[in-house]
Amino acid sequence: MEEQFETLRGRDAQKHIVGKAREVADRVRSTLGPLGFDKMLVDKMGEHLVTNDGATILRKGADRDPVAKIVAQVAKAQEESVFDGTTSTVILLAEFLKQADLLIERGVQPNSITRGYRKALEIATSTAQENSSSADTPYDAARRVAQTAITGKSAEAYIDILSDICARAAEAATPDNIKLIGRPGDPKDAELIEGVVILKQSAYPTDQETYTGKILLLDEELGPPQANVSLSDPAKIAQIAAVQQAYMDERLNAIEEQDIKIVLCQKGMDSRAIQHFRRKGILAVRNIRKSDMHRIAKATNGEVIADLSDIIEDELGTGTCTIRGKEGPNPYIQAVGDNIQVASIILPAPTEQTAAEFSRAMDDAIGVAYITAKNPLTVPGAGSIQARMCHAIKNSEPMVSSRAELAKNAFAEALLVIPITLAETASMDIIDTLYELSMNPNLGVNPISEEVCDMTDVVEPLTLVLTSLNTATSNAISLLRTDEIQKSKPIQETFADDML
């Protein structure tokens, strides 16, 4: 039985946890900041991805170690909660564990470290709140944090256009109701569009551009039932054709009786139905994605109908569909309803790879812009808020326990890993950077100009910073209190041993 487990106890377990957490953090550490490096990820099928998004790098990682999985889950939780800050969270978590490990080597018990860390977290939280400020408007605050989120990523060259779109989108809808649509083109032509964008054309050619009225959202094939029989008798064939025509007339008449002006179908559409809609001036669009159908339903206050024979007026949506981009190579249809809490962003990019990277950058930026629009409190970025937290912790009233006090100061030192990492990406002198920050913690690191200076124009959402700090601290404490690891053999190895 023992042979099926690998067990690590005491200091061996603690060293393994610290070492593996630092190893995972080192994978993403060089991606932090405006000069952060990219990583090329290649899967088993040979598909490659170039990105500097920390969450993506960790998600694509294949490390099966339980500690590595926990760190990856920490990053995932941070992204799901506040949309960004995954790299900072993982780096802080690893640094908290590293500082704690040094204290354990000196004889400090993990419970004392826990008390010190919790006290330091309390002081750091108060310091962040005291140093927070709000912009003139939620839009201004959202735009500034979006700029910080985009900085250092492939979309940075278009930061002014994209940050403006992110801020306006954050005011228009929640992130899960904002769809990013990549397409070939110039990123300068990116635009925010109210409602839902359908990347389809009308089922028939039309010069009319705008259709307004009741909207039918249909999740069934709009065509007659097919008879799977082989017939040579013309009378039988005519009889089946008559049944099919009667079936179609019944459904088309039901649509006409409801005074429906727009028919959006998730599946196919028979040619007879298309011709009927053309004659009646009804916009018809077929083969629409399921996700788009549900977003249109939300925007137009309608429902997706599975059976046309059971249609009622309350299930119909109401709104306007506009055919746009006819003059270009990629026309689309804009669906707008009474519910304006739905939006789409057209994101042109020169290549498919670039479009995917732009979308990841915009996902983060829209998320932080949204939480800032709801709570427009921001704190200085560029490592400045971490330097201020460190200064406040070190100058706070000493704790009763000398060991807990050591842990509290170790927590403060760990916070400086953020400005240190920013300085490293710019090849700045680390000692000089730390000295200047210790002399004036209100400054920040500017990797572009390679100096420590006033960086108050770079801001981050207070919510993001506090969430990152709390997540890193709570998980570091949890891992510190682990003194035994039992790992079962992978199932492949177990079967391999049985076959020998």
Side-chain angles (χ1 to χ4, degrees):
M1 187 70 179
E2 284 289 328
E3 294 178 356
Q4 296 187 17
F5 290 93
E6 177 188 352
T7 304
L8 298 174
R9 295 186 177 90
R11 282 297 290 148
D12 289 338
Q14 291 169 339
K15 287 181 178 179
H16 175 81
I17 289 171
V18 174
K20 183 57 68 171
R22 293 182 64 185
E23 179 186 322
V24 174
D26 285 342
R27 292 183 203 159
V28 297
R29 181 166 176 169
S30 62
T31 67
L32 187 69
L35 297 182
F37 292 92
D38 293 341
K39 306 289 184 182
M40 180 178 287
L41 311 175
V42 184
D43 63 17
K44 294 178 182 179
M45 302 301 294
E47 295 292 330
H48 72 279
L49 172 67
V50 178
T51 180
N52 69 351
D53 182 69
T56 303
I57 295 168
L58 294 176
R59 187 169 57 250
K60 297 286 186 180
D63 198 326
R64 295 187 177 184
D65 187 272
V67 178
K69 289 183 178 179
I70 289 173
V71 176
Q73 289 167 1
V74 169
K76 181 181 178 181
Q78 173 72 13
E79 183 178 41
E80 290 177 350
S81 177
V82 289
F83 308 99
D84 199 12
T86 53
T87 302
S88 299
T89 303
V90 171
I91 293 173
L92 283 171
L93 170 59
E95 194 66 17
F96 289 151
L97 290 172
K98 172 188 170 184
Q99 293 292 337
D101 190 57
L102 294 175
L103 292 177
I104 292 172
E105 290 284 354
R106 295 165 60 184
V108 181
Q109 214 266 350
N111 286 329
S112 296
I113 297 174
T114 296
R115 288 198 301 273
Y117 273 18
R118 284 176 174 156
K119 181 62 178 177
L121 175 62
E122 183 183 317
I123 298 170
T125 300
S126 298
T127 303
Q129 292 170 339
E130 291 168 3
N131 284 273
S132 64
S133 60
S134 58
D136 294 337
T137 64
Y139 165 81
D140 291 331
R143 183 179 57 80
R144 292 180 68 188
V145 299
Q147 288 178 334
T148 302
I150 295 172
T151 299
K153 298 181 179 178
S154 56
E156 184 179 3
Y158 309 95
I159 192 168
D160 291 335
I161 297 170
L162 298 183
S163 61
D164 170 67
I165 289 175
C166 290
R168 289 190 288 117
E171 293 182 323
T174 58
D176 58 331
N177 285 323
I178 298 172
K179 183 178 180 181
L180 291 169
I181 302 171
R183 60 193 309 176
D186 188 342
K188 292 180 180 178
D189 296 329
E191 61 176 323
L192 173 67
I193 296 175
E194 179 186 344
V196 181
V197 168
I198 309 169
L199 295 179
K200 296 288 181 180
Q201 300 182 42
S202 172
Y204 59 87
T206 176
D207 293 329
Q208 186 175 340
E209 294 185 353
T210 302
Y211 297 79
T212 301
K214 295 179 182 178
I215 300 176
L216 171 63
L217 299 167
L218 188 60
D219 182 17
E220 73 166 13
E221 190 86 18
L222 189 52
Q226 299 300 314
N228 295 319
V229 293
S230 297
L231 297 174
S232 57
D233 185 354
K236 292 289 184 182
I237 295 175
Q239 184 179 357
I240 291 175
V243 170
Q244 290 179 330
Q245 185 62 49
Y247 178 91
M248 286 299 298
D249 289 342
E250 179 185 351
R251 272 154 171 70
L252 295 175
N253 288 335
I255 292 174
E256 193 172 342
E257 287 172 4
Q258 293 287 349
D259 194 28
I260 293 169
K261 299 298 183 184
I262 301 163
V263 177
L264 305 179
C265 188
Q266 185 175 324
K267 298 177 181 176
M269 201 176 283
D270 185 77
S271 59
R272 283 169 286 193
I274 294 173
Q275 289 303 317
H276 175 82
F277 294 144
R278 182 183 64 79
R279 288 193 297 269
K280 297 295 182 179
I282 298 173
L283 175 66
V285 186
R286 56 188 169 177
N287 299 322
I288 301 174
R289 288 183 178 180
K290 182 178 180 180
S291 59
D292 286 341
M293 291 289 285
H294 287 285
R295 294 178 72 244
I296 296 168
K298 183 170 185 177
T300 61
N301 296 316
E303 296 182 22
V304 179
I305 299 170
D307 186 1
L308 190 56
S309 63
D310 193 27
I311 184 174
I312 58 176
E313 187 171 1
D314 290 345
E315 295 175 327
L316 300 175
T318 305
T320 300
C321 284
T322 305
I323 302 174
R324 302 183 59 180
K326 278 186 174 183
E327 66 284 352
N330 300 301
Y332 59 89
I333 296 173
Q334 175 190 8
V336 180
D338 294 333
N339 183 2
I340 61 172
Q341 298 297 315
V342 178
S344 303
I345 296 176
I346 300 290
L347 195 59
T351 66
E352 185 176 338
Q353 170 73 32
T354 307
E357 188 62 18
F358 275 25
S359 293
R360 282 189 289 272
M362 289 291 283
D363 271 335
D364 294 343
I366 290 169
V368 296
Y370 174 75
I371 63 173
T372 306
K374 301 304 177 186
N375 178 18
L377 290 176
T378 60
V379 293
S384 178
I385 190 60
Q386 286 80 14
R388 299 181 195 199
M389 291 176 179
C390 174
H391 179 78
I393 293 170
K394 288 185 174 180
N395 288 278
S396 64
E397 183 179 347
M399 298 181 68
V400 175
S401 169
S402 60
R403 289 173 173 78
E405 178 67 16
L406 286 173
K408 187 184 77 173
N409 288 326
F411 186 100
E413 290 294 332
L415 290 172
L416 294 177
V417 70
I418 300 299
I420 287 174
T421 303
L422 292 173
E424 285 175 346
T425 61
S427 301
M428 295 170 60
D429 188 282
I430 303 303
I431 295 176
D432 289 346
T433 299
L434 291 177
Y435 173 74
E436 291 184 53
L437 288 176
S438 66
M439 295 299 293
N440 187 352
N442 292 327
L443 301 179
V445 178
N446 188 339
I448 306 299
S449 61
E450 299 183 14
E451 61 179 339
V452 177
C453 58
D454 181 13
M455 294 293 287
T456 52
D457 57 321
V458 177
V459 295
E460 298 179 271
L462 173 64
T463 304
L464 185 150
V465 172
L466 293 183
T467 302
S468 174
L469 196 59
N470 277 282
T471 301
T473 306
S474 60
N475 282 277
I477 289 173
S478 176
L479 290 171
L480 280 175
R481 295 178 58 82
T482 303
D483 70 346
E484 182 173 317
I485 302 173
Q486 283 191 2
K487 293 194 291 184
S488 298
K489 277 187 177 182
I491 192 170
Q492 297 92 335
E493 294 182 15
T494 303
F495 280 120
D497 292 343
D498 291 342
M499 295 176 65
L500 293 177

